[in-house]
Amino acid sequence: MSVEIYKKIADYLVAAEVEKREVVKVTKVIKPDLTVEEAYSVQNLLVQTKLDEGHKIIGPKMGLTSKAKWDQMGVSEPIYGYVFDYMLIDDGGVLPFSDLIHPKVEAEIAFLIGEDIEGPGITAEQVLAKTQYILPALEIIDSRYENFNFTLPDVVADNASTSRVVFGNAHSKPNEFALELIGATLSINGQIKEHGTGAAVLGHPANAIAELANMLARKGDKIRKREIILSGAITSAVMLEVGDSVSGKFDGLGEVTFFVGD
């Protein structure tokens, strides 16, 4: 696929995000035979566009970290995208609904990386050894596609639906916990909507970070010191509405909250 088509798709998706409007999936209106590999090339251009605008990468994020979803999507590995500085919402802060299209929220464990992690062949144990802290997080996903209707290449090109993130203020050492056993609840307006454990993320959240390092190695890239990485959803995603008060509570890791404003 030519660079011109990559750029056309990237511009299409960037415009949808900036203009806060949903669009028809790429594989329907631009390139029906878009492959996952090509979609990552589109994602690279989308990321570069944001860097050129002066935004900074906070760290990668993982998606499709449930093996049940692998079976559903017909894939054998997760996907990744990138979180930027403009996507951060303070713990206890306000998420302006008007900045987004049709946001959903899910609970995740984030990893603050203490040393570079470069694949291939990275294991969960190596990830934990190079993790400075873990922290609770709420990720707000907001696919630019109509009704969250997309194929795997579509969502990869769309930066894995990355939109906003709330990181908790409590940092914990990873060796203090069995991360696969950590439970999390996602509550909206005081009612628990979803719950799960760290094992929902490829059996252990560090497995997802190891997968990321090995996937990045295929394009000569690596996980970098001081990046904060979302390891993948512990809970299912819940649709948000104006006025929602959102809370994620994590066993031993603390609570993360935000409010959905206009």
Side-chain angles (χ1 to χ4, degrees):
M1 189 166 71
S2 69
V3 175
E4 289 76 15
I5 296 297
Y6 291 154
K7 189 173 189 310
K8 180 179 180 180
I9 296 172
D11 289 347
Y12 177 74
L13 294 170
V14 168
E17 180 187 0
V18 171
E19 295 167 15
K20 307 172 184 63
R21 58 179 175 84
E22 58 183 13
V23 295
V24 178
K25 61 187 178 183
V26 169
T27 54
K28 184 173 182 179
V29 294
I30 300 179
K31 196 173 191 300
D33 59 347
L34 183 71
T35 67
V36 171
E37 183 179 3
E38 290 170 337
Y40 275 115
S41 294
V42 171
Q43 187 190 103
N44 290 341
L45 277 180
L46 184 151
V47 167
Q48 189 58 52
T49 296
K50 295 179 183 296
L51 292 173
D52 291 344
E53 292 172 349
H55 300 302
K56 295 181 180 179
I57 292 174
I58 299 300
K61 58 149 278 186
M62 297 300 285
L64 290 184
T65 50
S66 158
K67 290 188 177 179
K69 287 187 178 180
W70 286 11
D71 294 339
Q72 179 184 346
M73 300 291 289
V75 299
S76 58
E77 64 182 9
I79 62 173
Y80 62 85
Y82 291 89
V83 175
F84 287 86
D85 51 359
Y86 74 90
M87 298 177 174
L88 300 182
I89 302 292
D90 289 339
D91 188 6
V94 177
L95 169 72
F97 190 89
S98 58
D99 283 354
L100 305 175
I101 302 168
H102 39 207
K104 298 179 180 181
V105 62
E106 52 194 28
E108 308 200 14
I109 294 174
F111 286 61
L112 174 58
I113 304 303
E115 301 177 43
D116 288 359
I117 306 175
E118 187 169 4
I122 294 298
T123 66
E125 290 73 21
Q126 290 171 306
V127 167
L128 291 171
K130 294 188 176 186
T131 297
Q132 185 172 357
Y133 297 111
I134 53 171
L135 54 156
L138 295 173
E139 182 186 6
I140 298 93
I141 55 174
D142 191 33
S143 170
R144 269 52 72 170
Y145 299 119
E146 289 179 345
N147 301 316
F148 278 80
N149 180 13
F150 49 72
T151 66
L152 186 64
D154 287 307
V155 69
V156 169
D158 190 33
N159 194 29
S161 302
T162 313
S163 176
R164 298 291 186 274
V165 179
V166 186
F167 291 119
N169 292 316
H171 293 184
S172 304
K173 292 290 186 180
N175 58 5
E176 295 176 358
F177 301 91
L179 298 188
E180 71 277 21
L181 301 180
I182 287 179
T185 58
L186 179 59
S187 299
I188 309 290
N189 302 320
Q191 294 187 341
I192 294 177
K193 297 294 185 180
E194 295 289 341
H195 60 86
T197 66
V201 184
L202 297 184
H204 191 294
N207 287 332
I209 309 300
E211 285 272 2
L212 172 64
N214 296 328
M215 292 171 74
L216 290 176
R218 297 205 294 260
K219 66 174 187 177
D221 203 357
K222 62 183 177 180
I223 296 172
R224 290 172 171 78
K225 179 180 179 179
R226 302 303 299 169
E227 287 185 327
I228 306 176
I229 303 174
L230 293 169
S231 59
I234 291 177
T235 66
S236 295
V238 177
M239 191 71 74
L240 292 171
E241 297 180 358
V242 173
D244 281 345
S245 178
V246 183
S247 168
K249 293 183 179 179
F250 299 73
D251 294 343
L253 299 184
E255 183 178 10
V256 190
T257 66
F258 68 93
F259 178 79
V260 184
D262 294 334

